[in-house]
Amino acid sequence: MEQSSLESRNLCPQVTSEVLCHYWHPVARSSEVTDKPFKAKLLNQPLVLWRSNGTVAAFYDLCIHRGTPLSLGWVTDGELVCAYHGWRYAANGTCTRIPALPPDRAIPNKARASSFKAEERYGLIWVCLGQPRAEIPEFPPEFNDAAFRWGPYSTDGFWQANAARMLENLADYSHFPWVHPGTLGDPDNPESEPISIAPLDGGFQYDIPQPVNRLRPDAGARQTYKLILPFMLVIQRWQPGGSERQTNIFLCCPVSKNETRFFRFMGRNFVGHLSDEELGRRHRLTFEQDRAIVESQRPEELPLDLSEELHLRGPDAPAIEYRRQLRELGVDWN
Ligand code: FES
Ligand SMILES: [Fe+2]
């Protein structure tokens, strides 16, 4: 059933792991989709995002007439116009006008754009290529808490890496002393404390001590990780006995098997000893340090068979759980 619904949408055959088509993925910031068509890619499928009278629509980015990207076109009166012969498409994909035909000639039934489910939430455009098996993942309540400032800390970018490799790196903490010495980890104290994994709706969570990257200079913090499959991670940092809190929300969008667009939101409810500029500098440094590792990992796709690579009981528990749950979902990179 789902297979045929995908086929009828004319997805190109090189879709990245078909099961991922049935989840919502953030493909762009809302602010990027203005009155012009915006080109995006999800699971190796070229997409055009555009607004019909304000409401966002997502189409497969090829005109059925002659295979021209619809993203080369423009929007007129709430319809998308193809740049080559001016065919016009309504938000539901129906072709409403073929200018080369006289008005009394019927528009062929096949003249349609493939449209996908699109939603706008949290300042992002979310697309599901198939039939959603889960809701758009919920952001933690502090995202709407007036005591938190999020504005200065929002970033996004592209990595030449598999989305699951990237997310696993974000969820991994035993690399801190080696990849982020001084900012997130201490090479003289590389041992990871035991953690316990608890189930969460759509994923799992765990908690680690974070002695190096402090909220206040006088005491170490703890971090709670909440991983929602397939590609969202929330890291809440808090100080036992204190009210200071800092939350990171990471979303990895699988552009293709080995390309990821990430969106990162960070908010905090206090003015700390680190300025916004210093926090921004540390974040960029941390991400560059991680990127160098993750983009070079081989195989590029995260192995989901636990007999591949070598897993340590203890520090690799989140990675083991993540791989196990991705596999349970039916993710398969071939
Ligand atoms: S290719 Fe789009 S109208 Fe001809
Ligand atoms: Fe890292």
Side-chain angles (χ1 to χ4, degrees):
M1 178 65 186
E2 276 149 0
Q3 176 72 31
S4 63
S5 79
L6 284 178
E7 277 168 1
S8 69
R9 287 169 188 276
N10 296 325
L11 287 183
C12 88
Q14 291 84 25
V15 63
T16 305
S17 188
E18 194 190 307
V19 72
L20 293 174
C21 292
H22 302 299
Y23 289 85
W24 290 98
H25 303 281
V27 292
R29 289 199 178 275
S30 288
S31 56
E32 291 175 310
V33 185
T34 56
D35 54 351
K36 294 183 181 56
F38 181 83
K39 198 176 176 57
K41 192 159 81 169
L42 171 61
L43 297 168
N44 214 28
Q45 307 300 305
L47 298 179
V48 54
L49 310 175
W50 61 286
R51 289 185 189 278
S52 174
N53 302 315
T55 304
V56 76
F59 286 179
Y60 189 72
D61 190 19
L62 283 186
C63 177
I64 192 165
H65 181 216
R66 288 292 177 265
T68 307
L70 289 165
S71 53
L72 292 178
W74 56 90
V75 179
T76 300
D77 297 333
E79 296 186 330
L80 183 59
V81 183
C82 178
Y84 198 179
H85 308 93
W87 291 21
R88 286 171 67 142
Y89 296 97
N92 64 4
T94 313
C95 179
T96 59
R97 181 159 156 71
I98 297 183
L101 292 182
D104 57 340
R105 279 269 299 278
I107 291 174
N109 285 339
K110 258 190 82 183
R112 285 189 62 82
S114 299
S115 68
F116 302 110
K117 293 183 171 61
E119 293 274 346
E120 223 165 340
R121 202 166 305 166
Y122 310 121
L124 300 171
I125 310 283
W126 298 75
V127 170
C128 176
L129 299 175
Q131 302 304 322
R133 290 186 186 169
E135 301 288 323
I136 293 173
E138 258 187 56
F139 277 22
E142 57 265 35
F143 189 69
N144 295 312
D145 183 337
F148 276 71
R149 280 171 71 233
W150 295 86
Y153 316 114
S154 185
T155 54
D156 57 84
F158 287 88
W159 280 16
Q160 292 300 313
N162 176 261
R165 280 276 194 206
M166 182 172 183
L167 200 87
E168 186 180 277
N169 164 262
L170 291 165
D172 181 274
Y173 49 86
S174 65
H175 73 278
F176 288 172
W178 312 109
V179 182
H180 314 297
T183 47
L184 291 183
D186 174 4
D188 294 329
N189 291 294
E191 215 172 294
S192 302
E193 279 188 27
I195 59 154
S196 59
I197 303 256
L200 201 61
D201 201 17
F204 59 94
Q205 71 171 54
Y206 53 99
D207 191 294
I208 64 161
Q210 182 41 283
V212 175
N213 188 12
R214 297 179 167 189
L215 300 176
R216 282 200 314 248
D218 55 331
R222 292 194 72 82
Q223 296 195 157
T224 302
Y225 288 72
K226 293 179 178 161
L227 197 155
I228 305 296
L229 274 76
F231 303 125
M232 171 165 155
L233 180 68
V234 176
I235 304 178
Q236 292 163 315
R237 192 172 300 164
W238 47 282
Q239 192 109 34
S243 60
E244 293 89 348
R245 291 181 59 202
Q246 185 170 314
T247 295
N248 269 285
I249 303 167
F250 298 103
L251 297 155
C252 295
C253 173
V255 173
S256 70
K257 243 197 296 201
N258 300 314
E259 295 166 278
T260 299
R261 181 170 188 191
F262 70 87
F263 299 93
R264 177 229 183 197
F265 300 81
M266 201 278 271
R268 56 178 181 162
N269 68 351
F270 64 102
V271 178
H273 63 292
L274 296 178
S275 65
D276 287 353
E277 292 68 35
E278 176 59 13
L279 278 177
R281 193 192 67 76
R282 285 188 179 206
H283 166 70
R284 285 190 297 277
L285 171 69
T286 302
F287 255 50
E288 281 312 297
Q289 290 167 330
D290 282 324
R291 190 165 69 88
I293 299 281
V294 177
E295 288 189 347
S296 59
Q297 282 179 289
R298 296 294 179 270
E300 287 165 287
E301 299 84 33
L302 186 76
L304 302 182
D305 181 339
L306 290 178
S307 68
E308 291 179 50
E309 300 191 331
L310 180 63
H311 309 285
L312 299 175
R313 214 160 11 91
D316 290 337
I320 294 169
E321 187 61 16
Y322 182 45
R323 293 179 186 206
R324 197 185 64 72
Q325 292 200 14
L326 276 178
R327 192 169 175 172
E328 214 170 78
L329 232 54
V331 174
D332 171 2
W333 304 117
N334 297 316

